[in-house]
Each structure stands twice: as C-alpha cells, then as structure tokens.
Amino acid sequence: MKAQKFFSEVRSNFTDILYSGMILNSEIKLDKIDPNLDADDHEALVMRLYFLASNPEKEILHLINQYEEEKYLYMMKVSKDVWIFILSRNKSFAKFHFYVKFLLVESKLEYSPEEEIRLPEKEESEKIASAKRIQDMILPDLNETLSKFRLHEFFYQPQDVIGGDWYWIKNEIDETWIVIGDCTGHSVEGALASISIISILNQVYNKDLSPHMLIKYLYKSLEDIQKQQIEKGYGIGCELIVMKFNHKINEMIYSGTGLPLYYLSKGKLKFNPTRKAILNTQKILRYLRSRKIRMKQGDAIFTHSDGLADQFGTNGKKFNKRTLMSILSDQDSPTLSGIIEAFKNHKGNEPQTDDIVSLFLKI
Amino acid sequence: MKSSFEVLLNQFLSSFSNALAVSFNSVEISISIEGGSDVEILRAYKDIPMLSIDENFTTSFSFIIIESGSIIVFFIDGVHFISVYTQDKEPNKELAERMYYKFYEKFKNEIANL
C-alpha cells in the first residue's frame, strides 16, 4: 500500500485528524490536514517518540500521548522501522486503529516497506538528477578547456550521482589554470560544498597569483565565511591541487593540500605528495609554497582525489598509491584509461568508497 | 517508615484495578519512588514518558502499549509523572481519567513537599 493512498484514506474517513504521517526507516512522511496547524511543532515530539519506540529493546506496539488538553498523538507500529501516526482532537483511537488494521491486513493491501521506500527514492532521484544538471553546468567542458594539451584524460565518478569532488579550469592567453578539489562529504552535502568552494574560487582568482597564494586566499575567504559554523563544530573542508601551466615555456607551477602530483618524464616517475591541510590548516598554509616544474614535450602529470587510492577491492585491500605508482612506472606509455581499467578490476563488485576525480595530462 | 508520598502511591496502586506496579519520576526532582511487583518494566520504559513531554509541558497522559500489557502515565504539571503497569492489552482510558482527577490534587500537594 502506498503512503499517498493511505493518507487520502485517512483524510476522507477521519474528520478530527489534524495530520497523519508515516515514519519509514527514520524518515518522516507527513500529510498536513489542518492548514492552520504548524506540524513542525509536533514533528520533534513524533521523532523523539519514534526513536524510543523503535528501540529493539522495547516492545512497544503503539502509544498515545495526550497534550495541550485537546490534542492526542497516536502512534502505531506497523512493522519493524515503520510507524503510522496521527494527531487528532478525538481521543478515541479505536476506530482508527481498526481501520488501519483493516487497510493493511483485511483488505489484503499488504504493507510493503520496500515498495514504500522506493517512493521517496524515486522523488529523491529526480531531485538528485536536477542537482546533477546544476553541478554539470558548473564543471567546465574539458575538451574545450584542455585543448592546448597534447593529451588529456579525465575520470570523474562521484560515489552517488553528485558528489564533493570537483574541477575548475581557466584559460588565459598562454596559460591554463587547473584546480582539482575534494570537499568533505558525499552526495548532496559534498555537491553543495563543492559549489560553495568553486564560487569562492571564482571570487579570489587572479591570473597573476601564484598557485599557493590562490589556495591561501581561498582558505582565508572560506574561513571568514564559515567562522560561526566552525565555532559550532562543523564547516566545509576541502583538499585541492592548483596547477598553472605556461604553454609558451612548458612550465608548470603547482601547489596543493592533500592531493598528490605524479610527474612522468622520460619513463621516470616522481611522486610529489602534498600536505593534508585538514590536519593543521593554519600551519600548512603558513608553509605552503608553489613548486615549479620545467616540462619537456611528452612529459605527463597525473593527480587524483583520495577516492581512487582508497577504494577497497574484492581482496579487502585498498587500491593504494603504490599500485598507482607501479602502473605508472611499469608501463611504457601509461594512460589514465589503463589506470581506470586496473582500478575497476580491483574494485570488482565492491561498492565505491568515495567520490573520485582524476586527471592525466601530457604536454 | 514509609513517607506520606509512598503511602499515597500505594493507595493509588491499590485503587487502580489490574495495576501491578507504580512509580513516580520527574524531570525536575531526582527522586524515584516505586511500589508493587513488576517495577522493572516501569524502569525499562521510564524514558518514554520522560521524552513524551511536549515543549510547552502540557502533556497529561501517555499510554504505552507493549506485548505484555500497558503502561499508563499520568503527568502532573507536565514534568512529574506517575506510571502504572497493568496487564491489560487495551488500557482503560476512562478509568485512567477518573483516577487522574481523583488523585491529581493529592499528588500535586505531595510533590510540593518533596
């Protein structure tokens, strides 16, 4: 039986009801019947009681709470993790109780939590798809922006449809700026964080800055914006790498917090880790510097967010940086496609551990 | 020697048909008083009435229906509560209301002296 069907049945049969609702796996689905009632006032109480009542150590079948003289909150356990509740001005719940039983059992409208759970997921997936379209609009077109490189390969795969990993590219006359970032959180939380960071990045960006100064300005602005949130114990965190390519002289200047840089030149691999700013932002920022690499034609760089190296495989182990390094150094002409193929073989059917963004560039 | 509150609580228990246990708890006073058998059930479910209190302290009754019976909770001033355990699967709400009005003032006076 679908939640909406249940709500409409309740609406048409019980005139004293102010609102009715369901709790499915800790998610409240509310049908506000009385337009004058602020259901939010009661939601906290409903959730509080639900969490107590759904405690496996308790064996509660239903409970009634009377308050504000004429308000009666009735909660009824339908199955594990599924509760129905109503707020009514009528204290007699017997009719409602038997009616719900009839709906769920006698009428053979068997309640299927799985079916119900799919409902919000469908709605949610539509919202996520819309969010993805917005995130896609913010992320640049790679073919267009990286056309000055001899080869560019990119792998972007959020753990969910959207995520906290992101990339930002800016082309100047002879230069290309590339920023790859990994924000805390996944899915909607991560996507919102990444959009916030990209927005700040657009504000602080100046083509004359060095990469480490761009990072400093970015972190400083972020810190100013979320000062109050940080005091409350939460805020946006982000690791990133900023690369500034000068195509005229084949020079790359980079700086980063957390994301590594692999540099391949004439078959030799150099691994340049960057310090994780999340551990001690102030200290890292104080000592943060830009590094310069004079590249030759055919040289390549590779970077990735930690989702790639941290992916657990069917063997229970992480893909890890050592595997990445051996692929890059063992192959004559390594490519990102080759790395991703090895990654997928390692991952098998294991769930994706984290968002992943990875870039391989050849000049 | 039993306190006057304990005497009243036991009087309440014996007046309540089918009642097996009774307890007094409060979110304001750190005294818990119990009486009768099966008091461990009331202890196990103590957090339900404690958190059934609405933000305006207007909660007057809670009925908790469990596999083995019912717990009827009477609230005094929205912060103190007296819980009664019976083996009835359907709590007798009319009896509960009658008992509530009969004992309300007595409990209120006793709580003031705690």
Side-chain angles (χ1 to χ4, degrees), chain A residues 74-92:
Chain A
Y74 179 71
M75 297 179 71
M76 180 180 169
K77 187 180 189 175
V78 177
S79 66
K80 189 179 173 289
D81 301 327
V82 182
W83 285 72
I84 283 170
F85 62 90
I86 58 167
L87 184 78
S88 173
R89 288 204 173 92
N90 188 334
K91 67 177 167 184
S92 172

Side-chain angles (χ1 to χ4, degrees), chain A residues 101-278:
Chain A
K101 289 276 180 199
F102 168 77
L103 279 178
L104 300 177
V105 183
E106 297 301 322
S107 65
K108 303 294 176 198
L109 286 168
E110 290 288 342
Y111 188 87
S112 163
E114 289 77 20
E115 186 188 350
E116 286 299 343
I117 290 158
R118 277 202 298 274
L119 248 179
E121 275 183 3
K122 193 183 169 199
E123 288 167 11
E124 212 58 45
S125 69
E126 284 165 8
K127 287 178 194 167
I128 297 278
S130 303
K132 185 184 177 337
R133 282 194 288 276
I134 295 167
Q135 196 175 40
D136 286 349
M137 274 182 346
I138 289 161
L139 300 175
D141 181 317
L142 298 165
N143 287 326
E144 198 180 300
T145 50
L146 297 179
S147 59
K148 287 177 184 167
F149 293 90
R150 217 169 74 173
L151 174 78
H152 68 263
E153 283 188 294
F154 206 79
F155 183 71
Y156 178 69
Q157 189 167 289
Q159 187 189 32
D160 204 337
V161 181
I162 50 174
D165 284 10
W166 53 275
Y167 49 95
W168 179 95
I169 299 164
K170 186 93 178 169
N171 272 310
E172 301 292 348
I173 297 170
D174 290 319
E175 288 176 342
T176 302
W177 285 77
I178 301 172
V179 185
I180 309 279
D182 176 359
C183 286
T184 45
H186 312 290
S187 194
V188 177
E189 180 199 358
L192 280 170
S194 70
I195 287 168
S196 307
I197 295 278
I198 292 171
S199 161
I200 298 168
L201 182 58
N202 280 319
Q203 288 170 33
V204 298
Y205 170 76
N206 179 329
K207 69 179 178 59
D208 297 323
L209 289 173
S210 57
H212 76 280
M213 285 309 294
L214 182 64
I215 295 175
K216 283 189 181 189
Y217 285 129
L218 178 73
Y219 274 74
K220 180 77 180 68
S221 296
L222 183 64
E223 198 178 289
D224 291 346
I225 290 165
Q226 58 178 1
K227 206 167 190 173
Q228 284 182 326
Q229 278 74 16
I230 289 167
E231 281 165 11
K232 287 177 195 165
Y234 54 86
I236 299 170
C238 190
E239 294 182 343
L240 70 162
I241 185 161
V242 177
M243 295 167 281
K244 183 183 182 181
F245 291 89
N246 185 321
H247 300 285
K248 217 171 171 181
I249 55 171
N250 283 343
E251 180 187 82
M252 181 186 72
I253 305 171
Y254 79 95
S255 184
T257 56
L259 268 70
L261 186 92
Y262 303 72
Y263 173 52
L264 275 156
S265 181
K266 291 182 178 174
K268 283 187 179 171
L269 174 70
K270 201 172 176 199
F271 175 63
N272 300 311
T274 57
R275 291 185 194 185
K276 283 190 173 287
I278 207 157

Side-chain angles (χ1 to χ4, degrees), chain B residues 6-112:
Chain B
E6 279 175 286
V7 172
L8 179 64
L9 208 60
N10 281 310
Q11 194 186 337
F12 181 72
L13 179 65
S14 56
S15 308
F16 206 108
S17 58
N18 294 337
L20 298 171
V22 67
S23 71
F24 165 81
N25 288 282
S26 169
V27 291
E28 276 188 355
I29 306 164
S30 60
I31 298 170
S32 288
I33 303 167
E34 296 167 338
S37 58
D38 295 318
V39 284
E40 65 279 0
I41 290 183
L42 295 177
R43 278 183 220 144
Y45 288 86
K46 195 177 77 177
D47 51 355
I48 306 277
M50 193 83 85
L51 288 154
S52 299
I53 295 167
D54 74 298
E55 286 165 6
N56 299 317
F57 304 106
T58 58
T59 305
S60 50
F61 275 109
S62 268
F63 299 94
I64 304 158
I65 294 89
I66 58 177
E67 294 281 356
S68 60
S70 311
I71 297 167
I72 301 155
V73 190
F74 305 85
F75 290 85
I76 313 282
D77 295 340
V79 289
H80 318 290
F81 55 91
I82 293 137
S83 308
V84 177
Y85 172 60
T86 78
Q87 283 180 326
D88 299 339
K89 290 286 171 69
E90 287 295 325
N92 188 335
K93 296 191 197 89
E94 286 70 31
L95 172 66
E97 274 193 63
R98 278 203 309 275
M99 293 294 286
Y100 183 74
Y101 293 119
K102 188 177 170 187
F103 280 86
Y104 179 83
E105 285 301 327
K106 291 176 186 172
F107 276 121
K108 207 172 157 145
N109 291 335
E110 286 294 338
I111 289 164

Side-chain angles (χ1 to χ4, degrees), chain A residues 212 215-220 223 257 277 280-289:
Chain A
H212 76 280
I215 295 175
K216 283 189 181 189
Y217 285 129
L218 178 73
Y219 274 74
K220 180 77 180 68
E223 198 178 289
T257 56
N280 191 338
T281 311
Q282 292 307 323
K283 199 174 173 187
I284 298 297
L285 288 184
R286 198 181 310 149
Y287 297 110
L288 196 67
R289 294 286 179 270

